[in-house]
C-alpha cells in the first residue's frame, strides 16, 4: 500500500483538504477579508498539522519517497517547518541530547544553568531553528542536502505565489508559517522544561487526555515517544501502558484549553445520556 498505516489516512486527508482550501481562497477570494478570516480559523488546524508533521518525520506516512517528499512540502507550507528540519533539529538533535542541557538543540537551560522563561526559550530556539538544523546537518550530509533543497523549493513556490497575489500569499501562507514555527517551540517548552534528569522516565511531561491525543496523534505520550521514537504514533498508548508505573505522578499534566473543555463537555453529555 502507498500509505504504510491506514490510520494515517485521516491526517493525510486533512492536510490535503487544508491545502485545497488555502488554494481556493488564494485564487478566488474577492477581497482580503476572506483570507484573513481563513488564516485565523485555520491556525488551530495547522497547529495540529505541526504534530502530524513531527510524527511523519519519525515514521513516514508513505512507502515511496516521492509521496513523502510531496507531503513534507505541503506540511512545510502549512507550518513553516519544511521536510528534514524536524529530522535534523529534532530526531538527530534533540532526541539524542535531551538529557544533556549542554548539548540539547531544544535546551531550556542557559549555558549558565538558569531556567529560561517560556518566551525566552521560544524566541531563542525559534530564531535558531534552521541554523541549528543546518549545524546538525554538518554530520548528516544527505539529510542536510534534502533540507537545503526543501528550503529552496519552498522559497520558490512562495515566490511564484507572490507573483500572482502577494497579499494573499502573505496572509494565507507566510504569516501562518512564521506564527506556527514559533508556536511549535512555544508548546514544546512544556515537554521538558525544568526536568534536568538523566533518567528518561523522569525527564518528560505527559498528557493522557483523550481529545488532546486524538488531535495531536498521541503527542501526549511523550515519555514513550522518547523511549522509542521510531514507533508509530498509534502504538504509543500501548507502550505508555507498559511503562506508566515508572513515570512519577507529578509528570502528568492537564491538556489545557480547548481539550480540557472538550473532555468536560464529553463527560457531561455522558452523564446526561446515561442518567448518572
Amino acid at each position: 500500500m502507498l500509505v504504510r498505516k491506514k490510520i494515517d489516512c485521516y491526517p493525510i486527508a486533512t492536510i490535503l483538504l487544508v491545502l485545497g482550501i488555502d488554494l481556493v481562497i488564494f485564487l478566488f477570494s474577492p477581497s482580503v477579508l476572506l483570507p484573513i478570516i481563513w488564516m485565523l480559523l485555520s491556525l488551530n488546524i495547522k497547529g495540529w498539522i505541526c504534530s502530524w508533521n513531527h510524527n511523519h518525520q519519525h515514521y513516514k506516512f508513505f512507502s515511496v519517497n516521492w509521496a513523502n517528499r510531496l507531503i513534507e512540502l505541503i506540511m512545510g507550507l502549512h507550518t513553516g517547518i519544511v521536510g528534514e528540519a524536524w529530522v535534523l533539529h529534532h530526531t538527530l538533535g534533540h532526541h539524542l541530547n535531551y538529557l544533556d542541557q549542554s548539548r540539547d538543540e531544544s535546551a531550556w537551560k542557559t549555558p549558565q544553568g538558569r531556567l529560561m522563561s517560556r518566551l525566552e526559550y521560544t524566541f531563542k530556539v525559534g530564531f535558531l531553528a534552521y541554523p541549528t538544523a543546518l549545524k546538525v546537518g554538518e554530520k548528516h550530509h544527505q539529510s542536510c542536502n534534502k533540507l537545503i533543497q526543501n528550503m529552496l523549493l519552498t522559497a520558490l513556490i512562495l515566490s511564484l505565489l507572490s507573483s500572482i497575489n502577494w497579499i494573499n500569499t502573505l496572509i494565507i501562507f507566510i504569516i501562518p508559517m512564521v506564527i506556527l514555527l514559533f508556536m511549535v517551540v512555544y508548546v514544546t517548552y512544556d515537554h521538558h522544561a525544568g526536568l534536568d534528569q538523566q533518567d528518561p522516565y523522569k525527564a518528560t511531561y505527559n498528557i493522557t487526555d483523550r481529545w488532546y491525543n486524538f488531535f495531536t496523534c498521541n503527542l501526549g505520550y511523550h515519555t514513550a515517544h522518547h523511549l522509542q521514537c521510531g514507533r508509530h504514533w498509534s502504538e504509543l498508548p500501548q507502550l505508555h501502558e507498559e511503562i506508566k508505573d515508572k513515570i512519577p505522578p507529578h509528570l502528568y499534566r492537564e491538556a489545557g484549553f480547548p481539550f480540557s473543555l472538550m473532555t468536560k463537555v464529553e463527560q457531561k453529555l455522558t452523564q446526561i445520556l446515561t442518567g448518572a
Side-chain angles (χ1 to χ4, degrees):
M1 287 183 61
L2 181 62
V3 179
R4 296 173 67 190
K5 294 276 190 178
K6 287 184 179 181
I7 197 170
D8 281 327
C9 288
Y10 92 78
I12 292 169
T14 305
I15 291 163
L16 296 177
L17 176 61
V18 171
L19 176 66
I21 298 173
D22 279 348
L23 293 176
V24 168
I25 293 176
F26 172 82
L27 292 170
F28 302 110
S29 176
S31 72
V32 74
L33 182 60
L34 184 57
I36 291 174
I37 293 173
W38 169 242
M39 179 193 72
L40 296 174
L41 291 175
S42 65
L43 274 176
N44 204 41
I45 302 172
K46 291 180 178 179
W48 303 335
I49 293 175
C50 291
S51 300
W52 307 342
N53 193 4
H54 158 267
N55 289 343
H56 166 78
Q57 300 301 335
H58 285 289
Y59 191 105
K60 302 293 187 183
F61 287 149
F62 299 105
S63 58
V64 294
N65 186 56
W66 67 264
N68 287 318
R69 295 294 294 271
L70 179 59
I71 201 75
E72 287 165 7
L73 175 64
I74 295 170
M75 289 191 290
L77 291 169
H78 285 331
T79 68
I81 306 174
V82 304
E84 297 300 314
W86 275 113
V87 172
L88 288 166
H89 191 290
H90 183 75
T91 309
L92 297 173
H94 169 68
H95 266 268
L96 298 180
N97 299 317
Y98 78 107
L99 298 178
D100 183 352
Q101 284 298 289
S102 67
R103 301 175 59 194
D104 186 6
E105 282 72 13
S106 296
W108 43 264
K109 184 185 284 189
T110 67
Q112 295 73 35
R114 175 177 58 83
L115 173 65
M116 295 184 199
S117 69
R118 182 188 292 272
L119 286 180
E120 181 183 3
Y121 168 87
T122 298
F123 284 109
K124 181 176 181 180
V125 177
F127 277 116
L128 294 177
Y130 279 95
T132 299
L134 291 169
K135 183 177 180 181
V136 175
E138 293 174 0
K139 298 179 181 179
H140 305 277
H141 299 295
Q142 184 177 2
S143 188
C144 188
N145 289 337
K146 288 182 179 179
L147 172 59
I148 294 171
Q149 292 168 11
N150 292 335
M151 291 169 65
L152 292 174
L153 181 57
T154 301
L156 176 61
I157 291 173
L158 291 173
S159 297
L160 291 173
L161 292 172
S162 295
S163 69
I164 299 171
N165 189 322
W166 71 269
I167 293 180
N168 282 359
T169 302
L170 182 66
I171 296 171
I172 296 173
F173 294 101
I174 296 176
I175 291 177
M177 289 171 70
V178 173
I179 291 174
L180 287 167
L181 170 61
F182 283 93
M183 188 57 66
V184 165
V185 179
Y186 182 87
V187 299
T188 61
Y189 185 82
D190 290 326
H191 294 166
H192 305 284
L195 301 178
D196 197 357
Q197 297 282 341
Q198 295 300 307
D199 184 346
Y201 295 99
K202 299 178 181 179
T204 304
Y205 288 102
N206 293 270
I207 297 172
T208 58
D209 181 89
R210 185 169 78 88
W211 288 108
Y212 176 89
N213 285 302
F214 174 79
F215 285 108
T216 66
C217 289
N218 292 333
L219 189 64
Y221 299 106
H222 214 68
T223 300
H225 171 63
H226 268 278
L227 289 174
Q228 296 186 25
C229 68
R231 288 278 286 266
H232 189 263
W233 62 265
S234 63
E235 300 173 356
L236 292 179
Q238 178 183 346
L239 179 57
H240 176 79
E241 286 298 312
E242 296 171 5
I243 65 169
K244 65 181 182 181
D245 292 339
K246 299 180 181 179
I247 302 172
H250 71 277
L251 295 184
Y252 289 92
R253 282 183 160 170
E254 296 296 322
F257 183 83
F259 308 106
S260 57
L261 178 60
M262 292 179 185
T263 299
K264 290 179 181 178
V265 170
E266 180 187 26
Q267 291 172 346
K268 187 66 175 179
L269 287 175
T270 300
Q271 290 175 358
I272 293 172
L273 293 173
T274 59

